[in-house]
Amino acid sequence: MGEEEDTVEELRRMSGYGGDVIVVGGFPASESESESDSDLASAEIMVVWAIQGPTSFAPNTLVAQSSLELRLDACGHSLTILQSPCSLSTPGVTGSVMWDSGVVLGKFLEHSVDSKYLSLEGKKTVELGSGCGLVGCIAALLGGNVVLTDLPDRLRLLKKNIQTNLHRGNTRGSAIVQELVWGDDIDPDLTEPFPDYVLGSDVIYSEEAVHHLVKTLLQLCGDQTTIFLAGELRNDAVLEYFLESALKDFAIGRVEQTQWHPDYCSRRVVLYVLEKKSKRCLADDSSLNQSC
């Protein structure tokens, strides 16, 4: 019985997302508050790999990276996301094709809006590492004022996909493309005011990138900013390093797959919600049904 109690997951609600999240760490008055960031990150990795067993499942079951385009229905629209499969032969270039984590995150946003857990209407939203732009397109269709960002050499394909899918005048929100190199100084347009939401899919892929990613997240986030990050479960050491680094400044919760879009789930993907620790608007048990 004692062992069962030790495995009970603590649930919390964050002000930028109406669904429950499983506590990873960084929450005030949390059972895990006394544990070190390193211990919390290590425990999370063990739990995720044990529960989901990602290596037992095939990667990229939701996308076809060999195709020149990905077709996906979202928000009442048929989206056509152009890809460049030949770019995968270039070392370090992965943003020219879609990955399962991007599909999962985009459809999660749609499902969360439909479920009244989330509203992007009129919200300033910044996407990091936008790649082919699917997540940013869906966020704009859901009413967000979205800035899709990536490295300079990735912007051409990104702009093409925005033009292809959001040019018909039926977008509730807006979408623009902007260069952003993680770790560099942030353009004031991105932080004045701070975004309501920051999105990222498959952005945790190397320890070197983690350092720059966390720095950029800190620069982008005000006290009212909520981050959604979906990631492919490939390298447990890299994800653990990210969690340990991010827990110094962020409260982190994991979204169970029962709250994802039911038709777009993957055992090889994990979805986290982050908010700065200075944000004291983290709901306790007595206010789970209230938004901050």
Side-chain angles (χ1 to χ4, degrees), residues 73-76 106-115 138 142 261:
D73 290 334
C75 311
K107 295 298 288 187
F108 165 78
L109 295 176
E110 179 186 17
H111 183 65
S112 296
V113 169
D114 290 343
S115 303
I138 291 177
L142 291 169
H261 191 294

Side-chain angles (χ1 to χ4, degrees), residues 182-203:
W182 300 347
D184 285 0
D185 291 336
I186 295 287
D187 190 313
D189 290 346
L190 294 178
T191 57
E192 298 175 2
F194 285 108
D196 297 290
Y197 293 99
V198 174
L199 312 173
S201 59
D202 207 29
V203 294

Side-chain angles (χ1 to χ4, degrees), residues 2 8 30 35 38 44 53 55 89 98 113 117 144 154 158 160 172 181 188 194 211 225 250 262 279 281 286:
V8 172
S30 169
E35 298 183 59
S38 177
E44 171 65 6
T55 56
S89 62
M98 285 300 307
V113 169
Y117 286 156
R154 318 293 162 81
L158 181 54
K160 180 65 175 176
R172 290 164 56 187
V181 179
F194 285 108
H211 173 74
T225 304
F250 293 97
K279 184 174 184 177
C281 196
S286 64

